[in-house]
Amino acid sequence: MRRPKSQEPSTQSRQVEAGASDGEGGDTDVTQQETAPVPALSKETQQPKECFLIQPRETKEDATKTRKRRKKKITDVLAKSEPKPGTPEDLQKLMQDYYSSRRAVIELEELNLPDTCFLKANDLTHSLSSYLKEICPKWVKLRKNHSEKKSVVMLIICSSAIRALELIRSMTAFRGDSKVMKLFAKHIKVQEQVKMLEKRVVHLGVGTPGRIKELIKQGGLNLNPLKFLVFDWNWRDQKLRRMMDIPEIRKEVFELVEMGVLSLCKSGSLKLGLF
């Protein structure tokens, strides 16, 4: 007996029944998956994750390029350059460069030191004693004939008090019985040095240009009897600077030259040496 149309199972019902008869429960699972509630996202999962950019490692080539871009310092340049002995032309050029923006052309010509005032420069093979013996072979006679106070026969100019002490210790073989005086500012007042120069005869002075200038200004040191002026030209400090590489020292040296050294050189009574 046929069922009425209203009682006939639909196609979807037949499919469900067919699946159930097979024992697979496939549609049941699908229905459960469709009706199961979607779990809400936790606060941790809702927060945006941080993004880290991994930079590539620096290679040796990159490090070399970075070093090349850095500005070279004077110490870097001097450390790689071969030492060259100073020459009279170096001193003349430094003076011209220093005064070029301060003096007229005619005045610059007056600052030129005569070539005849320069002694043989150190070729970097000499110790201080051997160099002084070469430029002043008659030192014993000169110091014996010197009896004027407030003056010296020879001046050695350097960049610092520590360097002056080193030079005094290194000239033992040359100086002999000569009276040597320290002419720098460290631990010694200028008034004390003036009194010492007034009381006794000094043959040799070693010091800095700033203190020597001050002694001249205060009348404690007279340059007229001076026969030799030696610059500690080639020595370099811990930063590989020579005395004339230091702006303050260079300025004081040129001011000292104008205070009487230049006129004595032109008259022929004073000789200059570059150690």
Side-chain angles (χ1 to χ4, degrees), residues 70-245:
R70 292 173 185 166
K71 188 176 180 180
K72 292 183 178 180
K73 298 180 180 179
I74 184 173
T75 52
D76 299 331
V77 177
L78 293 175
K80 297 179 181 179
S81 62
E82 295 182 1
K84 295 181 181 180
T87 62
E89 290 76 16
D90 294 336
L91 177 57
Q92 299 273 34
K93 186 178 184 304
L94 283 175
M95 287 189 65
Q96 292 294 322
D97 293 343
Y98 179 79
Y99 287 109
S100 61
S101 60
R102 298 173 173 86
R103 303 292 175 85
V105 177
I106 298 176
E107 293 175 325
L108 287 175
E109 293 177 357
E110 295 177 353
L111 291 172
N112 288 330
L113 292 164
D115 295 336
T116 54
C117 76
F118 286 99
L119 298 166
K120 183 180 178 181
N122 179 24
D123 58 359
L124 304 183
T125 62
H126 284 283
S127 65
L128 181 57
S129 287
S130 66
Y131 178 69
L132 296 179
K133 286 180 179 179
E134 181 174 300
I135 64 173
C136 184
K138 298 180 180 180
W139 172 250
V140 176
K141 183 179 179 180
L142 283 172
R143 70 175 177 82
K144 285 182 177 180
N145 293 335
H146 179 67
S147 58
E148 188 174 345
K149 296 178 181 179
K150 299 170 61 175
S151 65
V152 294
V153 180
M154 179 181 291
L155 265 179
I156 299 177
I157 298 179
C158 57
S159 58
S160 66
I162 296 175
R163 177 57 179 167
L165 294 174
E166 292 177 358
L167 291 173
I168 291 172
R169 288 193 294 266
S170 66
M171 67 169 67
T172 305
F174 170 78
R175 69 184 189 185
D177 298 331
S178 305
K179 300 297 181 182
V180 182
M181 188 168 175
K182 305 166 188 174
L183 303 177
F184 49 76
K186 193 172 184 180
H187 305 310
I188 308 175
K189 295 181 180 179
V190 65
Q191 292 82 4
E192 295 176 1
Q193 291 173 330
V194 171
K195 291 179 181 179
M196 292 172 65
L197 288 166
E198 290 174 347
K199 288 180 179 179
R200 62 180 185 179
V201 176
V202 180
H203 305 103
L204 209 157
V206 184
T208 56
R211 177 47 59 93
I212 294 171
K213 268 176 49 190
E214 190 61 30
L215 288 169
I216 296 171
K217 287 180 181 179
Q218 297 197 17
L221 183 62
N222 179 19
L223 292 181
N224 289 330
L226 186 64
K227 301 300 179 186
F228 297 93
L229 178 61
V230 179
F231 295 99
D232 185 31
W233 191 275
N234 297 297
W235 180 80
R236 297 182 185 272
D237 60 12
Q238 292 181 347
K239 296 182 179 179
L240 300 178
R241 300 175 303 178
R242 299 172 302 175
M243 62 175 289
M244 298 302 280
D245 294 327

Side-chain angles (χ1 to χ4, degrees), residues 23-88:
E24 294 176 357
D27 289 342
T28 304
D29 295 340
V30 171
T31 305
Q32 290 177 353
Q33 289 177 3
E34 291 176 355
T35 58
V38 179
L41 294 174
S42 63
K43 293 182 179 180
E44 294 182 358
T45 56
Q46 289 178 356
Q47 293 179 355
K49 295 183 179 180
E50 293 182 0
C51 181
F52 296 96
L53 296 176
I54 301 175
Q55 296 181 353
R57 293 182 178 179
E58 187 179 21
T59 62
K60 292 183 178 180
E61 294 181 358
D62 296 334
T64 305
K65 291 179 181 179
T66 305
R67 285 196 297 268
K68 287 181 179 179
R69 294 191 193 103
R70 292 173 185 166
K71 188 176 180 180
K72 292 183 178 180
K73 298 180 180 179
I74 184 173
T75 52
D76 299 331
V77 177
L78 293 175
K80 297 179 181 179
S81 62
E82 295 182 1
K84 295 181 181 180
T87 62

Side-chain angles (χ1 to χ4, degrees), residues 2-9:
R2 296 182 62 181
R3 295 179 181 179
K5 291 182 179 180
S6 60
Q7 295 181 355
E8 288 182 358

